[in-house]
Amino acid sequence: SSAASDVYKRQGKGLPDHDHVLIGRNGAISRDFHRMRAELSHALEAAAQRKGDPPRKARKQAGKQRR
């Protein structure tokens, strides 16, 4: 099983009515599974307690427009 499915399903963690997007990094395949699972669990607990990063300010658009 993946760390995400373990944390979401078995531990019942995750934010209700939210989408969770996980992005893999180079080297993730060789990282300790239990540590990754613990880090994800901690991150979701912090998010549930609103202890995540503060909202980002909107970026100003440069003078160029996309075509």
Side-chain angles (χ1 to χ4, degrees), residues 25-59:
R25 294 186 265 169
N26 286 336
I29 196 75
S30 61
R31 289 194 61 210
D32 179 65
F33 177 81
H34 298 288
R35 184 172 180 178
M36 279 197 307
R37 184 176 59 199
E39 290 171 352
L40 176 59
S41 180
H42 176 73
L44 290 172
E45 286 173 16
Q49 295 172 12
R50 305 269 190 221
K51 292 183 178 178
D53 294 338
R56 295 182 180 160
K57 295 180 182 177
R59 291 190 212 177

Side-chain angles (χ1 to χ4, degrees), residues 13 18 23 36 67:
K13 297 199 177 168
H18 286 75
I23 300 172
M36 279 197 307
R67 293 181 188 201

